[in-house]
Amino acid sequence: MARSRMDLKRLGSVGIPLVLVLAGLAMVIYGFAKKEVELHAINWGLLVSGYTYFALVAGGSILVEAIHTIFGYKGPRGEHEKLVRLAIWFPIVSLLCAWILILADLSRPLEFWRIFAGFNPDSRIAWMALLYTIYIAALVAQLVFLIRTSDEERVTHKKIEIALASAGLVAGVLLYTNLAQVFGTMISVPGWYGAYLALYFLTYVVVLGAAGHALFTMTYAWKHKELREFVSHYCGLVIASSVLMLGLLTMWGVVTAWYNPQAWATYSMIVEGMYSALFWGVVIALGIAATFLLALYATLRRSAVAIVSASTLALIAGFVNIYLTIVVHQTRVPEVLSGLYRVAEYHASTAEILILLGTFIIWPSLYALGKAILPLLPGEKPKKLLIFK
Amino acid sequence: MRLAYVWDSRKCIACMACVVACASANYPELMREAKPNPQWNWLAGNIRVIVGENGGKPELRLISCQHCENAPCVSACPTRASYIDRRTGLVRIDHSKCIGCKACLVACPYGARWLNPATMLPEKCPGPFCSKLIENGLNPVCVEVCPAGARYFGDLDDPESPVNEELRKHRVERMLEHLGTNPKWFVITG
Ligand code: SF4
Ligand code: SF4
């Protein structure tokens, strides 16, 4: 009786996320089939914003995780070490979601291989594809290594672990600097500055990565007091300190744009125009101020409720800000005659919304599926097909 | 060879013959539809029109691909589908290599590219019909149909070509030259 209840529970823990992943994929495919060129549309809209978002979320968690693998921090009672496999699974899932969105944004996703076949070294997008591949390969190799090796073997193979983590970290930093340059090198869009965006994206990587890691890890750590308190304290500290930097950089971007009339044409829409409520209300008040206070409280009082709230706010506000950064600056670009602007009126289409929603369903479902079939939790060992529970 | 375009802003009577000829010659199948180029909300052609103001007078510009020698669209293209044709110096798109990432559309500071609603792939000057004309040593349709004789096309490397003749005689400017794109599309202003 007890055994059949266990089997049923296991079936549910695999079956439900699997069904949700498939449902999400179906939404993505259906949305893709319905995509069409919209009236006065910009070129990179909701899907590219979503892709950038997932890419940034994935980068941060590798930084969180590298503190353990490269710098050897285990947590006061080894808590960080216990969570390290979950910490690697999370960016893998987030990167897969980023891939889904970027492929869905292409008009001919099945021709994607042409990026490698005709690799153009001048193109930031070509480098994105290469760095992504290296990054995801490093993450998968690291996860397999951690799953396959026992605690004793890990001590003897420490160099391999550090090499894999370092490769992931270096590829990650290059990837995010390059991602910023995908936008920053576009001289046609004055609202995007390459040097600024690189710093901005790297800071976002830390905030979103720590927030995503905290939120997703809590689905397991919540039931374990010492893990719950550790995640609250540790991620709270990372979020509180990086979100302050993010606030500073956000305002720096606004002040710098004020001196450039062409950049101000779109920045003014964000700061004092039709998007100002989103900017001041969601990005600044919730995403920076409230997130900082909650994260600080979480780290000082080891409060799980506070870290979950801070992470949720950071993730929501982060998406809004990335959307504003990518979309709004394309809606008013300078024409060849001075003082004139080419104006676009972008509204995300139903197809794009469907694709994004599908990906947001896949994200936690795939994470849960991984937790159900891979030995990611403390003490779990692979029993089937080398890496499965 | 470095093929280039010259447009005489003083001669142009804004009749739009070049705009319509470009669309109907290059994209006849799209022209039959109600909204052939939704992105520009315009005809399915490679020329768009903007009107500004200069000293209280309207100022017109016809915008199409400038065939930049330092082309942002070519640098941005991950697959080399956008490339500079070494034989002609024109910037071309090899649609068979294009994945539709739209980087070239974002990168072009002139807004000279648009997304074909049928294929979801980028289009720009020269379109398929004009490409054939150029390959056969003929002028593109915009030059042929201009009733005011305001358009010229030819090789910058040939001192006798019509473009060089016009460039020698007049004051010319190149649009957004300060961006370093080195466009091969000249506007006669005086
Ligand atoms: S005008 Fe635009 S499309 Fe044409 S070559 Fe220059 S950047 Fe490329
Ligand atoms: S849309 Fe096509 S031509 Fe333009 S950059 Fe992408 S692959 Fe190149």
Side-chain angles (χ1 to χ4, degrees):
Chain A
M1 183 69 182
R3 194 183 152 77
S4 68
R5 207 177 299 141
M6 274 289 285
D7 283 350
L8 212 61
K9 204 175 153 207
R10 175 136 176 76
L11 200 67
S13 68
V14 175
I16 294 170
L18 187 64
V19 169
L20 287 172
V21 168
L22 293 176
L25 272 178
M27 283 168 79
V28 170
I29 293 166
Y30 182 74
F32 179 80
K34 292 271 161 229
K35 252 181 24 169
E36 53 184 40
V37 182
E38 302 287 325
L39 198 64
H40 281 306
I42 55 170
N43 294 301
W44 286 344
L46 188 67
L47 299 185
V48 173
S49 308
Y51 148 75
T52 309
Y53 176 76
F54 280 113
L56 294 178
V57 171
S61 31
I62 196 75
L63 290 180
V64 174
E65 178 269 322
I67 291 173
H68 165 65
T69 35
I70 301 178
F71 303 107
Y73 177 68
K74 293 182 177 170
R77 287 185 293 273
E79 299 94 333
H80 202 35
E81 192 171 27
K82 287 181 190 156
L83 296 172
V84 73
R85 280 181 278 180
L86 277 178
I88 300 178
W89 178 237
F90 176 69
I92 293 176
V93 170
S94 306
L95 278 180
L96 289 175
C97 291
W99 270 105
I100 290 173
L101 284 175
I102 202 61
L103 287 177
D105 188 62
L106 298 180
S107 306
R108 298 166 78 199
L110 296 179
E111 301 290 316
F112 185 79
W113 56 272
R114 289 190 184 275
I115 292 190
F116 297 102
F119 192 85
N120 174 10
D122 291 338
S123 162
R124 296 298 108 203
I125 293 184
W127 282 104
M128 280 311 288
L130 188 66
L131 287 166
Y132 254 134
T133 311
I134 297 173
Y135 187 46
I136 205 158
L139 286 174
V140 171
Q142 225 180 319
L143 185 64
V144 172
F145 174 82
L146 289 174
I147 288 176
R148 294 290 307 150
T149 45
S150 64
D151 289 349
E152 302 79 60
E153 284 170 331
R154 275 187 71 191
V155 178
T156 47
H157 297 335
K158 193 69 196 161
K159 280 193 185 141
I160 300 178
E161 189 181 342
I162 291 180
L164 287 173
S166 307
L169 192 62
V170 171
V173 173
L174 287 176
L175 180 83
Y176 294 106
T177 315
N178 190 65
L179 178 62
Q181 299 315 327
V182 167
F183 303 101
T185 50
M186 298 295 181
I187 49 172
S188 50
V189 184
W192 293 338
Y193 314 101
Y196 168 75
L197 280 181
L199 205 57
Y200 201 47
F201 277 14
L202 282 171
T203 313
Y204 244 127
V205 154
V206 182
V207 176
L208 294 179
H213 172 71
L215 200 62
F216 278 63
T217 309
M218 270 301 177
T219 55
Y220 167 73
W222 192 271
K223 289 193 223 112
H224 307 268
K225 187 165 181 284
E226 94 272 21
L227 292 180
R228 188 174 68 218
E229 289 189 349
F230 172 76
V231 172
S232 309
H233 171 73
Y234 177 71
C235 291
L237 191 63
V238 176
I239 295 173
S241 43
S242 53
V243 88
L244 272 187
M245 176 75 173
L246 188 70
L248 193 74
L249 285 172
T250 307
M251 294 323 292
W252 182 35
V254 171
V255 173
T256 315
W258 196 77
Y259 292 102
N260 175 352
Q262 292 190 332
W264 189 248
T266 47
Y267 261 99
S268 62
M269 291 162 73
I270 296 174
V271 177
E272 53 186 28
M274 60 192 286
Y275 300 101
S276 59
L278 277 180
F279 180 71
W280 293 110
V282 180
V283 176
I284 301 295
L286 296 181
I288 308 279
T291 300
F292 170 72
L293 292 174
L294 285 164
L296 191 66
Y297 185 80
T299 196
L300 294 176
R301 306 299 296 264
R302 296 176 188 267
S303 160
V305 174
I307 196 64
V308 167
S309 313
S311 302
T312 310
L313 285 184
L315 287 170
I316 294 171
F319 184 82
V320 171
N321 199 17
I322 289 162
Y323 177 84
L324 293 180
T325 306
I326 289 169
V327 166
V328 178
H329 294 311
Q330 289 175 79
T331 59
R332 209 162 278 190
V333 293
E335 277 287 14
V336 297
L337 291 175
S338 126
L340 276 192
Y341 288 88
R342 207 159 62 243
V343 178
E345 299 146 16
Y346 177 71
H347 304 286
S349 65
T350 319
E352 287 174 304
I353 294 171
L354 211 56
I355 294 170
L356 189 76
L357 279 180
T359 313
F360 269 109
I361 292 174
I362 294 172
W363 192 31
S365 312
L366 196 57
Y367 182 82
L369 188 62
K371 250 173 45 180
I373 62 174
L374 298 170
L376 301 176
L377 303 179
E380 287 184 338
K381 299 241 179 323
K383 291 189 187 133
K384 288 181 200 154
L385 297 171
L386 300 174
I387 58 161
F388 293 97
K389 277 197 205 178
Chain B
M1 193 190 273
R2 286 186 307 138
L3 292 173
Y5 290 76
V6 173
W7 172 65
D8 192 333
S9 67
R10 304 159 318 155
K11 283 191 191 168
C12 176
I13 54 171
C15 67
M16 303 297 135
C18 56
V19 175
V20 178
C22 171
S24 20
N26 288 298
Y27 308 99
E29 62 297 340
L30 291 178
M31 279 294 280
R32 286 184 216 114
E33 291 172 25
K35 251 183 260 154
N37 175 358
Q39 218 173 10
W40 289 355
N41 199 16
W42 188 242
L43 303 184
N46 296 316
I47 308 170
R48 63 187 183 94
V49 181
I50 60 163
V51 184
E53 208 192 87
N54 190 357
K57 284 196 216 135
E59 189 176 22
L60 177 88
R61 283 291 178 272
L62 300 176
I63 313 277
S64 58
C65 177
Q66 309 288 299
H67 297 286
C68 309
E69 289 188 299
N70 185 16
C73 59
V74 173
S75 305
C77 178
T79 62
R80 297 180 196 259
S82 283
Y83 66 102
I84 296 180
D85 181 350
R86 297 287 157 210
R87 288 172 308 133
T88 59
L90 295 178
V91 173
R92 310 293 301 267
I93 306 173
D94 178 347
H95 283 117
S96 71
K97 289 185 183 166
C98 177
I99 55 172
C101 68
K102 300 176 281 282
C104 55
L105 287 115
V106 182
C108 174
Y110 300 91
R113 291 180 174 233
W114 54 283
L115 216 48
N116 185 323
T119 61
M120 304 280 276
L121 297 178
E123 301 285 355
K124 67 167 207 68
C125 160
F129 185 76
C130 290
S131 295
K132 285 202 191 95
L133 293 177
I134 294 168
E135 265 159 38
N136 289 309
L138 301 169
N139 281 332
V141 286
C142 57
V143 176
E144 284 302 318
V145 299
C146 179
R151 284 179 171 268
Y152 306 87
F153 180 72
D155 183 8
L156 281 177
D157 290 339
D158 172 8
E160 304 304 319
S161 77
V163 291
N164 275 326
E165 215 170 285
E166 294 304 308
L167 295 182
R168 272 196 297 271
K169 284 198 296 214
H170 303 288
R171 192 173 69 228
V172 291
E173 65 174 42
R174 293 188 295 172
M175 293 188 276
L176 300 181
E177 207 176 352
H178 64 279
L179 293 178
T181 50
N182 215 1
K184 294 200 299 301
W185 209 97
F186 300 84
V187 181
I188 295 177
T189 54

